[in-house]
């Protein structure tokens, strides 16, 4: 099982969109996947079409990680039913540890080592997923550091703009410092350039700058700005299930990115080290 945190220290770059895009690709590929929604806004939970059904949100599991079993509180994404209706297969797995505002109590800068282990404790013992995607809040407070402690890799999301590129560089430094102090086996899974406008001279310049700064960590392909992405998320649809050429093209890009992310995670973090 590979645990990957999707992070950015700058808001508004489409971090949750990347999380759901990768989840859509994993569902299409038949990879059993769990999405952990650590962002108190819970946008990933909304986009994944979850219903609480009396289950505990992720904050309640973090409060008593040794007593609340995650396997009893995850919920199915509504995408699974839709995928089964489309291709006739019912065995695909996309579960969600859904988020909520209660998790904000942990999003503070002063968490100790014991608190940073809470998510790792929640995830202990589950073995029915090949991939866990953790959607982090856009900050380096407690929830993000809790996610990094539980993760094998950190996937960064950036827009090709000055402030976002600078924020990505800060995040890379933060990962290095966090790795030295708390998580020696943690490493970047790469950087996804999101919301790219091919016609923009500024975006082309910043993409070239990112290639110079981050080298092979900048993953290909980049994700272009998709005009109806908010409509797709608002309808709680996977991009792989949305009609139209633009959605199909974007889905194919996420298929390629998922291969890159999973490949890097497996190469740099073999099972025997967990």
């Amino acid at each position: 099982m590979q645990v990957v945190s999707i992070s950015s220290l700058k808001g508004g770059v489409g971090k949750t969109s990347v999380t759901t895009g990768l989840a859509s690709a994993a569902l299409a590929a038949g990879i059993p996947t769990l999405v952990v929604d650590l962002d108190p806004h819970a946008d990933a939970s909304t986009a994944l079409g979850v219903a609480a059904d009396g289950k505990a949100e992720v904050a309640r599991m973090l409060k008593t990680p040794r007593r609340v079993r995650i396997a009893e509180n995850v919920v199915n994404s509504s995408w699974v039913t839709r995928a089964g209706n489309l291709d006739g297969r019912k065995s695909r797995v996309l579960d969600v540890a859904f988020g909520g505002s209660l998790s904000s109590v942990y999003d503070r800068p002063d968490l100790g080592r014991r608190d940073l282990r809470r998510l790792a404790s929640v995830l202990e013992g589950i073995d029915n997923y090949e991939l866990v995607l953790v959607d982090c809040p856009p900050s380096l407070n407690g929830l993000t550091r809790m996610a990094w402690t539980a993760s094998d890799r950190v996937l960064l999301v950036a827009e090709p703009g000055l402030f976002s590129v600078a924020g990505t560089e800060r995040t890379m430094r933060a990962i290095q410092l966090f790795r030295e102090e708390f998580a020696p086996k943690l490493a970047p899974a790469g950087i996804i350039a999101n919301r790219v406008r091919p016609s923009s001279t500024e975006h082309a310049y910043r993409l070239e700058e990112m290639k110079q700064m981050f080298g092979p960590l900048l993953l290909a392909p980049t994700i272009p700005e998709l005009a109806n992405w908010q409509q797709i998320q608002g309808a709680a649809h996977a991009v792989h299930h949305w009609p139209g050429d633009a959605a199909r093209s974007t889905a194919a890009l996420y298929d390629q990115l998922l291969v890159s992310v999973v490949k890097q995670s497996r190469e740099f973090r073999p099972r025997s080290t967990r």
Side-chain angles (χ1 to χ4, degrees), residues 72-108:
E72 297 171 355
N73 287 285
V74 297
V75 295
N76 299 124
S77 168
S78 64
W79 296 2
V80 175
T81 302
R82 199 168 288 122
N85 292 338
L86 288 173
D87 63 19
R89 285 183 279 186
K90 305 293 186 181
S91 60
R92 300 198 177 193
V93 176
L94 178 58
D95 291 341
V96 185
F98 64 93
S101 59
L102 287 176
S103 61
S104 60
V105 71
Y106 295 105
D107 205 27
R108 59 183 199 269

Side-chain angles (χ1 to χ4, degrees), residues 1-264:
M1 185 177 75
Q2 300 298 321
V3 183
V4 180
S5 286
I6 293 87
S7 295
S8 171
L9 299 192
K10 182 183 182 303
V13 299
K15 171 184 54 60
T16 298
S17 298
V18 168
T19 302
T20 55
L22 291 172
S24 179
L27 179 62
I31 299 172
T33 300
L34 170 67
V35 176
V36 179
D37 189 357
L38 274 195
D39 192 329
H41 291 105
D43 291 338
S45 300
T46 300
L48 287 159
V50 302
D53 292 332
K55 306 293 182 68
E57 70 174 79
V58 69
R60 298 206 179 274
M61 290 187 272
L62 293 175
K63 183 178 181 181
T64 55
R66 298 295 183 184
R67 295 201 299 271
V68 180
R69 292 175 56 83
I70 188 171
E72 297 171 355
N73 287 285
V74 297
V75 295
N76 299 124
S77 168
S78 64
W79 296 2
V80 175
T81 302
R82 199 168 288 122
N85 292 338
L86 288 173
D87 63 19
R89 285 183 279 186
K90 305 293 186 181
S91 60
R92 300 198 177 193
V93 176
L94 178 58
D95 291 341
V96 185
F98 64 93
S101 59
L102 287 176
S103 61
S104 60
V105 71
Y106 295 105
D107 205 27
R108 59 183 199 269
D110 59 344
L111 293 188
R113 288 180 180 270
R114 181 177 179 181
D115 285 327
L116 292 179
R117 288 281 308 163
R118 287 180 181 271
L119 180 59
S121 296
V122 167
L123 295 177
E124 283 179 0
I126 59 171
D127 56 6
N128 52 325
Y129 305 106
E130 292 182 23
L131 179 64
V132 178
L133 301 172
V134 186
D135 188 29
C136 301
S139 69
L140 191 55
N141 285 330
L143 288 171
T144 294
R145 294 187 296 134
M146 197 183 290
W148 290 3
T149 301
S151 295
D152 302 296
R153 312 285 281 172
V154 179
L155 180 65
L156 305 181
V157 181
E159 284 184 322
L162 173 62
F163 298 140
S164 182
V165 173
T168 301
E169 188 175 27
R170 290 196 302 273
T171 309
M172 291 290 290
R173 291 198 299 267
I175 291 171
Q176 182 59 37
L177 292 172
F178 190 83
R179 177 179 180 177
E180 292 171 0
E181 187 171 358
F182 297 105
K185 295 177 181 177
L186 183 69
I191 301 164
I192 291 179
N194 190 38
R195 294 178 177 170
V196 177
R197 295 194 297 274
S199 61
S200 169
T201 303
E202 172 68 8
H203 279 202
Y205 176 83
R206 294 301 172 189
L207 279 175
E208 187 59 36
E209 182 181 45
M210 292 171 74
K211 291 176 185 176
Q212 297 297 321
M213 292 173 65
F214 305 119
L217 280 175
L218 181 62
L219 300 180
T222 62
I223 300 295
E225 193 168 48
L226 185 61
N228 59 349
W229 189 268
Q230 289 187 347
Q231 184 182 3
I232 294 171
Q233 290 188 315
H237 268 250
V239 66
H240 286 70
H241 303 154
W242 195 260
D245 291 341
R248 280 192 292 272
S249 296
T250 301
L253 297 177
Y254 274 112
D255 290 338
Q256 296 176 56
L257 285 170
L258 180 68
V259 170
S260 297
V261 170
V262 172
K263 180 181 178 182
Q264 285 205 34

